[in-house]
Amino acid sequence: MTINNYSILIADDEPIECIALEMLLKNNFPGLRILPSVSNGIDLAASVGRDHPDIAIVDINMPGLNGLDALDMVRSRNPDMKIIIHSAYSEFDYAKRAFALGASDYMVKPIQKPVFLDTMKKILESLGAERQKKSSQETIHRLTGEVHRLAKHDIMSSILLGEVDDQTAKIFLDSLNQEYEGGFLVTARHPDNTEPLGNPDGHLFPNLDSRTLYSTNTCAPWNAKAAQEILTPLNQVCLCLGRAHYQDLLLYLIPGPGVGRSNYRQWAGHLLESLHRPLLFGVSSWKFTLDELPAAWKESSSVLIGRQDFGVFFFEHTPGSQAQNVFLHQEEPLARLLASGQTDQCLDAIDSLLQKAVLLEMPLDSVKTCSACFLLSLHRQMADRSSFPLQASGYIPGPWKGLWDCPSWQELKENLHQAVCQLGYLHSRPISKSWEYVTKAFLYIENRYSQDISLEDVAQLVGISPFYLSRLLKQELNETFVEILTKVRIGQALILLQDPQKTIRQIGEEVGYGNTTYFYKVFKKQTGMTVGEVRRML
């Protein structure tokens, strides 16, 4: 036990008691630093305030100011000090008050050597553990701050490089002291510098605080001082990251709770105007995920081209990108057609809806998103009918990935036809023993998709071997267990994304992805679009 750094104070008005305790401590704890003993409460208070002992052995009955009153006066100055009460008084009231003051032990005179030594060992061990914990916490706090600083720098660098690395995104999100609900980029530029310089993927300047930053021509410079005059007030309102790039100052604003896609423009306009700076501010659209930030940079920069007067300017989506959802409220009538065996009529109705989308000039990506939501709703309508065995509301049978990958309207039509026909087939097919096993497996997945479930878990519940269940899923649906589980989770996420009150992190956790970055990755792999892109289309 290392005790060289610990000090102890003895407060007792009987000199013989002080000497006895000092000898006992020197013989058994030679590394302990023994402070000059005191004989009254006044001196006890003075010594604690001056020397900050780690341990104090205090007698209650001392002249002038008793030991408990003195401790009551100085406890706040040294809250971590360990206290041993050593007194001739054994009354309960004294002991109760002593422990209320944080005493570690209450020993009645005459001292019992084994008990005293055991108490001291425990106190010293406690001090050691507390110091180690405090040191670890300080180290963690320092490292967390360093990680946060590096993560912020790396995020801004990755935006300029055109792609946010998954690991960088994870570190950054983990370092936040708030749940990430999205943000937007702002390009700040002096009015004279209205034309972009160089290649957006070109030279990156060092950190703002490392040296003065100048653009490559005669444009006004963004130096560290000028940048901090913008960043400091913004960081008083929200989390704001900044990086100079040629003649621009790129800002990444994360407002936090209460600000989102529906109201960020008014909030951003008021905030940027309150800076009272003669600058051009280009503001991107709201971005739900970090991997959308490189696109946000292009948006915020593009709105400043050709502008001369300072002010706040917002990126506008291409007309038609928010066109109406032609599939809205069509699930129930089409489900009736499909359930009654009128598959051809159902397909004709879908073709009419696609033709309407073309006439409305809806973007193909938007229609693919709306059609996926439509298929999920259609599936639920079919699943609500008693003869339909597959109950997984987030599952679309057939080429889910193919639906998102469709490069043309014709291929989208073909994929929708295939998915709808398979729904009709599943609805009408007879229930065999193998199909009953598949149905039970789906019911289990439907109830547990948010949990960490495996093929073995499902097979055990169904009552067959994992190998046999895997073969049945492949035979009946031509999909593996992992593919089905992923489709159910992403399908359910698509349903939840239609609720604007739910954050993306909440949605990821609800469908079984505790790691938000991994949820982003899986969602994009399955749909070909980011979570934020899909949410904007819903």
Side-chain angles (χ1 to χ4, degrees):
M1 184 188 304
T2 303
I3 59 177
N4 293 337
N5 294 326
Y6 299 130
S7 61
I8 188 167
L9 171 67
I10 300 171
D12 199 306
D13 62 341
E14 298 181 25
I16 190 67
E17 288 289 345
C18 292
I19 294 172
L21 287 171
E22 287 180 6
M23 292 293 294
L24 197 57
L25 291 169
K26 287 179 180 178
N27 291 335
N28 292 275
F29 306 100
L32 195 62
R33 183 164 60 93
I34 303 174
L35 299 172
S37 61
V38 296
S39 59
N40 58 73
I42 300 296
D43 290 342
L44 169 61
S47 180
V48 170
R50 180 183 64 251
D51 300 321
H52 301 287
D54 298 295
I55 308 168
I57 302 176
V58 180
D59 185 17
I60 293 178
N61 187 22
M62 292 189 294
L65 185 69
N66 73 43
L68 294 180
D69 289 339
L71 290 172
D72 198 11
M73 289 175 55
V74 300
R75 198 70 179 101
S76 61
R77 300 183 201 170
N78 194 355
D80 297 328
M81 181 177 67
K82 305 299 181 184
I83 302 169
I84 300 174
I85 300 298
H86 179 228
S87 175
Y89 295 107
S90 60
E91 285 84 349
F92 174 74
D93 287 343
Y94 284 119
K96 181 179 179 182
R97 188 181 174 198
F99 286 116
L101 289 169
S104 299
D105 209 337
Y106 190 105
M107 291 188 283
V108 179
K109 296 179 181 180
I111 193 171
Q112 300 295 316
K113 180 179 176 181
V115 175
F116 175 74
L117 294 179
D118 185 58
T119 297
M120 282 296 301
K121 288 178 182 178
K122 290 179 180 177
I123 287 176
L124 290 169
E125 289 173 356
S126 175
L127 283 170
E130 289 176 8
R131 284 196 177 182
Q132 185 174 8
K133 180 180 179 181
K134 184 177 181 180
S135 176
S136 298
Q137 289 174 337
E138 290 174 349
T139 301
I140 291 172
H141 181 73
R142 177 176 56 79
L143 291 176
T144 300
E146 182 67 12
V147 167
H148 193 187
R149 186 187 68 78
L150 292 173
K152 289 193 294 185
H153 174 263
D154 288 346
I155 281 292
M156 299 307 292
S157 297
S158 63
I159 293 172
L160 297 174
L161 288 169
E163 183 176 0
V164 177
D165 176 71
D166 289 342
Q167 186 63 26
T168 298
K170 182 180 185 306
I171 292 173
F172 177 72
L173 291 174
D174 290 345
S175 70
L176 294 178
N177 293 322
Q178 63 190 42
E179 182 175 350
Y180 181 79
E181 298 179 11
F184 56 94
L185 289 191
V186 175
T187 295
R189 185 179 297 169
H190 294 284
D192 294 336
N193 308 338
T194 57
E195 296 302 326
L197 291 175
N199 186 335
D201 297 325
H203 175 67
L204 300 181
F205 285 100
N207 248 346
L208 287 174
D209 57 358
S210 61
R211 67 178 185 181
T212 301
L213 302 174
Y214 293 92
S215 59
T216 56
N217 63 2
T218 59
C219 296
W222 275 109
N223 56 38
K225 181 180 179 182
Q228 287 305 324
E229 288 175 351
I230 300 295
L231 288 168
T232 299
L234 292 178
N235 272 302
Q236 292 174 353
V237 179
C238 65
L239 176 60
C240 179
L241 283 60
R243 180 93 185 234
H245 183 68
Y246 294 104
Q247 82 277 28
D248 294 338
L249 177 63
L250 185 63
L251 303 169
Y252 175 27
L253 275 70
I254 305 175
V259 180
R261 180 178 63 176
S262 63
N263 63 348
Y264 86 97
R265 288 192 173 206
Q266 181 180 1
W267 182 88
H270 177 74
L271 178 62
L272 295 172
E273 288 170 0
S274 70
L275 296 174
H276 301 296
R277 298 286 176 178
L279 296 169
L280 297 168
F281 292 105
V283 183
S284 76
S285 60
W286 183 265
K287 301 302 180 185
F288 292 95
T289 58
L290 297 181
D291 54 0
E292 297 176 278
L293 296 181
W297 174 36
K298 295 177 182 178
E299 292 178 358
S300 66
S301 180
S302 66
V303 296
L304 298 183
I305 297 176
R307 297 189 184 275
Q308 299 293 332
D309 298 328
F310 61 83
V312 181
F313 306 94
F314 293 90
F315 176 80
E316 300 289 346
H317 282 287
T318 304
S321 64
Q322 299 298 324
Q324 69 185 76
N325 181 0
V326 296
F327 292 97
L328 200 61
H329 306 309
Q330 298 300 313
E331 302 87 350
E332 187 174 354
L334 294 185
R336 285 199 300 268
L337 289 174
L338 199 57
S340 62
Q342 301 179 69
T343 303
D344 289 341
Q345 291 88 330
C346 182
L347 296 177
D348 289 341
I350 289 174
D351 291 347
S352 297
L353 295 175
L354 290 175
Q355 289 173 7
K356 182 179 179 181
V358 172
L359 291 174
L360 290 171
E361 298 183 349
M362 290 181 65
L364 182 59
D365 281 344
S366 180
V367 178
K368 287 191 288 188
T369 301
C370 293
S371 63
C373 292
F374 159 73
L375 284 175
L376 289 169
S377 298
L378 184 64
H379 187 196
R380 282 182 293 180
Q381 288 282 340
M382 299 293 287
D384 287 340
R385 302 167 191 273
S386 58
S387 61
F388 188 54
L390 289 183
Q391 301 294 319
S393 61
Y395 175 74
I396 295 179
W400 163 277
K401 188 66 169 66
L403 179 72
W404 296 99
D405 288 341
C406 291
S408 67
W409 290 92
Q410 181 61 32
E411 290 196 32
L412 176 60
K413 173 183 171 180
E414 293 171 0
N415 273 269
L416 281 173
H417 279 210
Q418 184 177 347
V420 170
C421 287
Q422 190 166 357
L423 272 177
Y425 167 71
L426 295 176
H427 176 74
S428 60
R429 66 169 293 174
I431 300 179
S432 62
K433 189 62 178 178
S434 60
W435 190 238
E436 184 179 334
Y437 286 138
V438 171
T439 299
K440 288 181 179 180
F442 263 88
L443 287 172
Y444 185 88
I445 294 171
E446 169 71 0
N447 292 325
R448 305 288 182 88
Y449 65 83
S450 63
Q451 302 174 18
D452 186 17
I453 59 176
S454 65
L455 175 66
E456 289 72 21
D457 296 330
V458 181
Q460 184 177 7
L461 179 82
V462 173
I464 58 179
S465 71
F467 174 78
Y468 186 43
L469 175 59
S470 178
R471 193 175 74 177
L472 287 180
L473 294 175
K474 196 69 176 176
Q475 171 186 304
E476 301 293 339
L477 298 169
N478 196 32
E479 291 186 321
T480 67
F481 168 77
V482 173
E483 289 171 340
I484 292 170
L485 176 61
T486 301
K487 285 176 67 172
V488 169
R489 286 174 167 174
I490 299 303
Q492 190 63 30
L494 194 59
I495 295 171
L496 295 175
L497 279 169
Q498 299 174 68
D499 181 357
Q501 301 302 316
K502 288 188 177 292
T503 67
I504 293 176
R505 178 172 291 186
Q506 288 173 331
I507 292 171
E509 291 174 349
E510 286 188 33
V511 300
Y513 297 106
N515 184 317
T516 306
T517 304
Y518 184 64
F519 171 53
Y520 293 159
K521 188 174 182 178
V522 174
F523 190 95
K524 188 170 184 179
K525 182 178 180 181
Q526 289 293 311
T527 66
M529 289 186 278
T530 68
V531 183
E533 289 170 337
V534 170
R535 172 161 252 181
R536 277 195 298 275
M537 295 175 184
L538 298 176

